[in-house]
Amino acid sequence: MEQFSVLAPDQWQALERAHQDRVSRYADPYLARRSAGRKHPVEDFLFTYYTQKPGQLRRWHPGAGTVLLGPPAAARSSWKHYRTLDNGELAGLGLAAGTSAVTMDRAAFLADRRDAVVFADVILRGTAARPAQFGCFGLHEWAMVYHQDRFDLRHEYLQLRLGSEGTDKVVEDNRIRCTHFDAFRFYTPDATPLNELEPTRENQRQLEQPGCLHANMDLYKWAYKLTPALPSELVMDCFELSWRVRAMDMKASPYDLAEWGYPPIRIETPDGKADYVARQRAFAQEAAVLRSRLTAALHTATAVEERDVDHARTA
């Protein structure tokens, strides 16, 4: 029989409110801007690039193995990947028959999401096992606007800090070795052959490495894709790391964001490169802790089988 921890209504509702307050600090300003037809080049990103919407993020989940008690919990029985405890399970917990008690439905979750669980585990563990690389200097953002005039790119309200020619020169004067497919795929056609690697969706599981800002931002993606198996507190820890990494990524970008409150990291200079690497290393250390927590929580929640992971790793 599955082992459970039990939360009374006052316990889990306090956790739910704390989570919703935490999300509101980020989501409410975004929703207000969206309602007013305004955009923010840094702070909208996690709600527009990733598929998790504010309403989904605001919904609190305790994670696998936790039973929520009380009439308010009963409403969750209709939520995807939740179930009501049967009388045998209630008796095993010392609860009366008919008690309102719900929990995350591990079996239904794995039936629907096993492939996603296995792939996330492969990415998380594979990334953690590789040496970190710290020589990219955020040049992926510069490669996305390389020769932008030739390709008639439009970046709305954002201006290039060094202008088009200055931006192109930075790209041409530096070694570009991006390992992350979801950055590489946005390069301009002229920038693509300048990258020393050719990341693809197929080789992602072999290339992801723990120094990459985007790989560390994506901890949030893997966390929310495994909802509701993982606790929302862990998802938000990943979200907040991703939020801060995004800010650094844009400070090091070719865009002039000073008026938005984001002074540049001038990666075109030796001092700027040193500053970038120091911050990148600090984020890599934070991300390593979260990556380990995610992997442990994933295995606890889903008991993913090693043979499935080995097959996915070599596929």
Side-chain angles (χ1 to χ4, degrees):
M1 180 178 293
E2 187 173 357
Q3 298 298 307
F4 296 111
S5 60
V6 179
L7 293 178
D10 60 333
Q11 293 175 305
W12 70 260
Q13 287 180 310
L15 294 172
E16 182 179 53
R17 287 192 299 272
H19 170 73
Q20 291 171 347
D21 289 344
R22 190 177 179 187
V23 173
S24 290
R25 293 198 295 270
Y26 303 95
D28 289 358
Y30 164 71
L31 293 171
R33 285 192 298 271
R34 189 177 70 176
S35 179
R38 295 183 287 108
K39 297 181 179 180
H40 195 292
V42 182
E43 296 175 10
D44 289 352
F45 182 78
L46 267 63
F47 298 114
T48 56
Y49 176 76
Y50 292 112
T51 58
Q52 177 93 318
K53 301 307 179 188
Q56 296 169 311
L57 183 61
R58 200 184 301 273
R59 180 174 279 193
W60 176 78
H61 301 281
T66 300
V67 173
L68 306 181
L69 299 181
R76 292 179 179 240
S77 62
S78 63
W79 290 15
K80 190 173 184 179
H81 300 141
Y82 275 81
R83 67 177 181 84
T84 301
L85 271 64
D86 61 36
N87 284 335
E89 291 172 315
L90 291 172
L93 294 172
L95 299 171
T99 297
S100 294
V102 300
T103 191
M104 177 256 178
D105 190 333
R106 294 178 194 255
F109 179 81
L110 279 174
D112 290 342
R113 305 288 291 152
R114 176 171 288 279
D115 288 348
V117 167
V118 171
F119 187 74
D121 189 70
V122 168
I123 292 292
L124 291 169
R125 290 207 282 171
T127 302
R130 296 186 189 98
Q133 300 176 29
F134 297 110
C136 69
F137 307 121
L139 285 163
H140 56 277
E141 290 287 343
W142 300 69
M144 292 177 193
V145 293
Y146 181 63
H147 288 171
Q148 69 163 5
D149 295 338
R150 180 178 301 178
F151 300 104
D152 195 31
L153 298 180
R154 293 290 182 267
H155 293 279
E156 301 177 3
Y157 48 89
L158 300 182
Q159 299 298 316
L160 295 177
R161 183 166 53 81
L162 302 180
S164 292
E165 290 186 7
T167 299
D168 292 347
K169 188 174 188 306
V170 171
V171 173
E172 293 161 0
D173 287 350
N174 286 274
R175 178 187 183 197
I176 306 180
R177 189 178 172 80
C178 180
T179 57
H180 193 73
F181 172 69
D182 284 316
F184 177 71
R185 66 191 177 98
F186 291 109
Y187 280 24
T188 65
D190 283 0
T192 298
L194 301 179
N195 204 66
E196 294 184 2
L197 300 170
E198 190 173 352
T200 65
R201 188 64 71 202
E202 289 69 30
N203 67 19
Q204 180 181 10
R205 68 199 74 188
Q206 285 84 39
L207 288 183
E208 293 281 86
Q209 50 86 17
C212 173
L213 290 189
H214 278 259
N216 293 332
M217 271 197 287
D218 278 353
L219 292 177
Y220 168 58
K221 175 176 71 174
W222 303 121
Y224 78 70
K225 282 183 176 292
L226 299 173
T227 297
L230 303 185
S232 288
E233 290 77 10
L234 178 55
V235 176
M236 278 305 295
D237 287 346
C238 294
F239 176 96
E240 289 180 341
L241 174 67
S242 185
W243 182 276
R244 291 183 290 114
V245 171
R246 170 62 177 177
M248 176 191 160
D249 196 34
M250 292 305 287
K251 286 179 181 180
S253 78
Y255 302 113
D256 185 354
L257 299 174
E259 68 179 75
W260 296 88
Y262 294 87
I265 299 172
R266 301 181 185 278
I267 59 93
E268 70 275 13
T269 69
D271 286 348
K273 284 182 168 65
D275 184 17
Y276 184 92
V277 171
R279 299 183 194 215
Q280 188 180 24
R281 287 183 181 275
F283 278 132
Q285 291 175 352
E286 285 190 65
V289 174
L290 274 180
R291 191 172 284 111
S292 178
R293 287 175 58 198
L294 271 176
T295 303
L298 172 63
H299 280 259
T300 298
T302 63
V304 62
E305 296 181 18
E306 191 67 31
R307 61 183 175 82
D308 292 333
V309 175
D310 288 341
H311 175 74
R313 187 181 292 116
T314 58

